[in-house]
Structure formats: structure tokens, C-alpha cells
Amino acid sequence: MRTCSNRSGWARPRGLCAALAAAGALALSATARADIDWNSADWGGFSPNALSYWSYRDMGDRSARKVLELSNKRSSREKSSKTPAHQPSALSTAGNVAASGAFVDERGIEQLARLYPRDQFQARKKQYTLIVQSFNQSVRKLYGLPSNNLATGMAVVAAGAYSAYHNQRFPDAWVRPLYQQMKELLLQDPRVSQRPAAQKAVDYQVMVGTGMAMMLAQAELEKAPNADTRAQLRRAGAETLRTLFQADPGSVTFTSAGLKAR
């Protein structure tokens, strides 16, 4: 999955670097720039608790395992033959975005910023706001995926966890099949239509912010390897995969046909 990163200080946010498009990294908006030293991130203090609501276990009984085992090589006609339990609009959090592109409610971003020391809160909040907003501006153009959408958020955090755990970029060709799989899974989850819109917006920000931060940190490690940071990032990826799919990280497999969790 394409990313963008830079070499400047994480504690002094000033802009995102130019996209590593040629190298196949996830490009954030070229108009939004900040200097972030991803190698200094406190990944040892990362907590995936904010993601647990949408975990594999809590998505419930038969539908979760069935969807996770679906092959995305089926024809679109076969997929459309099954009517989802809920309408796709149930996954949207677009109501939380103003005409300017700014978020009306930033509680998800604030939740991520609070994972760090109190004196870093404002700096971290600016960084995560930039990351999530920039992602929203580019994801439709890059992959044809909807912004402000829970299925997109699930795909991003899963891809980020994969990237962090395996120390490699998530292949572009795997992005859309994973999104389709997450969409089908969520639309069969009876909680989706019951979840308040404001809370869905929080969930989306946490998922995108977490996933993108892991991908960006991994991209930085490719440029400036650091064994300690690598170990911290791998632990963060492992805990995220474990939380989301209730399985040993090594048993969560991603391919061009989607995801399988054993």
C-alpha cells in the first residue's frame, strides 16, 4: 500500500513529505506537509483497545468467519446475489466532515493523541488530524475506495497492522479485495445500524490514524533501520491483528483474494 514519510522530528510537526509513489508507498495529499520522525514513536505504549469494538470476536458468530473465508475471486454477479443485512450507507461517517474537509468531531483523533504523554497532546493531535484528513483526500483517487467509511477504515488498519508485523508494505493489488471483504463483513454485523453516527466517526478516525501511522513508521524503517523501533512496531502490529481477528498474528493471512484468520 502506498505511503509517504519523511526524516524530520516527530515531536515538531511541520508537514508530510512527498509521496513515495515510485516505491509503491500510500500517498497522502501533496498539499499537506508535516515533518514527522516515525522512528521516535512510542510504539511500546500503543494500545489497541480502541479497536476492540469491531473485533472479529465481537462481530459475532457465523457471519464473521463465513465472510473472512470468502474468496474474492468470485464474480461480482455471485456477490450481488446476496442482499446485505444493512444498507451500505450505514458504514458512512461523511456527516462528520465539513465542507472544508475538516472534521466536525475529532474525538477519535484526540483518543489517539492521548496515548502519548500529556505535554505532547497538541502536537500529536495535529499530526493525526493531518494523517487522517490527507488520507481522506487521496484514497478515492488512489484506490476507488470511499472516504469516511468504516469498511475503508477496517481495511486500512488491517493493512497497517500487516505492514508493521511483517516489516513490509501492503501490496496495492490486495487493497480493494480487502475493502470488499470488510464491507461485506460489516454489513452483516447487526450492530452497524445501531451504532450512533458520532461513535462511528470516532471509530473511523481511530482505525485510519492507527493504520496509517503504522504504515508510515514502517516506511521510515526501510530508510533508516533501527532494531529497537522495529521490535516495538512489530509488537504494535501483532497486538492490532490479535485484537481485530482474535487469532495469533502469524495465522492471519492476506492475499490478493482477501484475508483469512485461522
Side-chain angles (χ1 to χ4, degrees), residues 9 24 34 38-39 53 58 62 82 93 104 113 135 174 246 260:
W38 295 98
N39 284 339
Y53 184 86
D58 292 337
R62 295 167 294 181
K82 292 187 177 181
T93 66
V104 177
F135 173 86
W174 297 2
Q246 297 299 301
K260 291 186 178 180

Side-chain angles (χ1 to χ4, degrees), residues 87-125:
Q87 294 300 314
S89 60
L91 304 182
S92 176
T93 66
N96 189 46
V97 181
S100 64
F103 294 113
V104 177
D105 185 339
E106 296 184 329
R107 283 181 298 156
I109 289 169
E110 291 172 352
Q111 191 169 336
L112 292 170
R114 289 194 182 96
L115 293 174
Y116 300 91
R118 183 184 296 270
D119 62 356
Q120 296 182 27
F121 175 79
Q122 290 301 329
R124 302 292 184 169
K125 182 180 176 182

